[in-house]
Amino acid sequence: MPILAPGIITSYDVPENARDISPLFYGLTLPETALFNRLGVGTRAINKTLNWYDDELMPTSTTLGAAYTAASGEMTLADANFFPAGTIIRCEGSVYRVTDVNPSMKEITIAILSADANHASGKTVEIIGNGQLEGKAFGNTASVKRVERTNYCQIFEQTAEVSGTEGATQLVNGTTGKMSEEIAKKMEYLYRLMGRAIWNGIALNASDNTAPRLMAGVKAFIDTHGYAPSAASFNQTNFDAFLDEISKRGGSLIDIWCSPTVARKFSALKDDSVVAERTDGTVGRWTRSYLSGNGATLTVNSDPACLDTDAIYVFPTSSIVLRPLRPLQMQPIAKVGDSERVLLVGEYSLEVRNSQAMGKFSISG
């Protein structure tokens, strides 16, 4: 007499359950996806919308909102919220101490410390220190605020299909069937696509399943929140000024990222000052790092997945994290004919932390 199957279905009874192949996926390293190769994989996302919080950077400078007349005792700033009494400031060659502030009027009262002079509207006012009176009462200072950042989980998928006949045919290497080889090819292709999306993705939060959700890439976050000045000629003076501004914003001067086409421009810097003697017949030069005028050494990283041929990006790679909602899985698809079909599917988003301290140098000409 046959034994009836139990009423509950367990994982032991479902051989077609999906297999997690994300460790194999993350283990891929392709020359076309240099940034993806170096990314860390963070904790699992818990929703199709990814949220995190960045600190708003405390500014260290502003500009004059109106012309300053020497010995007048007051300055009008573009933003006086971060200049409490006791702040030491410099405008051009003059140094002052703030003695009082009216944030609503954007005015500060100042005491002259050194080289008082007239200053035109729009000139930069730098914070260079803070000096307080002994025994003074506590005063209010600005608070560090946090700002919410959002990205969305994007579904990546590929299918592999092999006919029944091909699946039973022995290959020249002695194995039978091409499904494993086909899966490996499709997984590598998915890796390339994700490498490009990590750079070039545009955020889209679909309202229903008639449109896909799309994750924003690194470039979108830098364009929206980072330091992206107007295009300028690529030379050491302009690029060092760009790096100085990122440093003022609290950015880390660690990594330079760009396309291979742009990376070659670093090899041409100071070309007339470089003397190279080689006897092995090799032609060409590759610049691996850049030493800025302020002493920072940045690694030059070339990534073909960055499609821009007129821009250089500066950000620490450690601030970019891949967040899986569904790590890449392999699962069989129901048969509809004489073939075997497999689905590779994963759902991922990108967390770009402190993008306001990252930068994009656009190259003119």
Side-chain angles (χ1 to χ4, degrees), residues 11-123:
S11 60
Y12 301 101
D13 307 312
V14 187
E16 68 271 21
N17 277 347
R19 292 174 54 193
D20 182 1
I21 58 172
S22 58
L24 294 174
F25 186 61
Y26 302 145
L28 294 174
T29 52
L30 305 178
E32 308 97 311
T33 54
L35 179 57
F36 189 11
N37 295 344
R38 288 180 51 183
L39 290 191
V41 180
T43 56
R44 292 273 293 268
I46 60 173
N47 203 327
K48 60 190 179 183
T49 300
L50 183 67
N51 300 98
W52 68 95
Y53 297 89
D54 288 344
D55 288 336
E56 286 189 345
L57 298 176
M58 298 279 280
T60 57
S61 66
T62 186
T63 57
L64 285 175
Y68 165 75
T69 302
S72 65
E74 289 188 343
M75 276 186 177
T76 300
L77 305 180
D79 182 1
N81 290 315
F82 298 90
F83 292 77
T87 303
I88 310 301
I89 61 174
R90 183 182 67 181
C91 183
E92 298 182 289
S94 306
V95 181
Y96 308 94
R97 179 178 177 272
V98 179
T99 57
D100 195 13
V101 58
N102 185 338
S104 62
M105 299 298 292
K106 302 181 180 180
E107 292 177 348
I108 56 174
T109 304
I110 54 175
I112 301 167
L113 297 181
S114 174
D116 187 29
N118 296 334
H119 302 293
S121 177
K123 291 296 183 180

Side-chain angles (χ1 to χ4, degrees), residues 154-165:
Q154 180 173 336
I155 299 172
F156 296 83
E157 71 172 35
Q158 285 288 305
T159 58
E161 185 171 8
V162 175
S163 71
T165 300

Side-chain angles (χ1 to χ4, degrees), residues 223-281:
D223 284 339
T224 303
H225 307 295
Y227 175 57
S230 301
S233 299
F234 179 65
N235 55 53
Q236 192 163 7
T237 300
N238 289 342
F239 193 63
D240 282 353
F242 165 77
L243 294 178
D244 286 344
E245 182 60 31
I246 292 179
S247 182
K248 291 176 184 177
R249 288 167 165 251
S252 298
L253 303 183
I254 298 173
D255 287 318
I256 291 169
W257 285 94
C258 54
S259 70
T261 301
V262 176
R264 297 186 188 102
K265 294 181 181 294
F266 285 94
S267 297
L269 285 175
K270 300 291 184 181
D271 217 13
D272 56 346
S273 303
V274 176
V275 177
E277 295 183 3
R278 299 194 62 146
T279 59
D280 57 8

Side-chain angles (χ1 to χ4, degrees), residues 1 10 42 46 82 84 86 93 118 137 152 191 214 227 234 238 285 312 323 326:
M1 181 175 178
T10 69
I46 60 173
F82 298 90
N118 296 334
Y152 308 105
Y191 195 90
L214 302 177
Y227 175 57
F234 179 65
N238 289 342
R285 187 170 78 250
I312 299 168
R323 296 286 301 276
R326 289 185 291 161

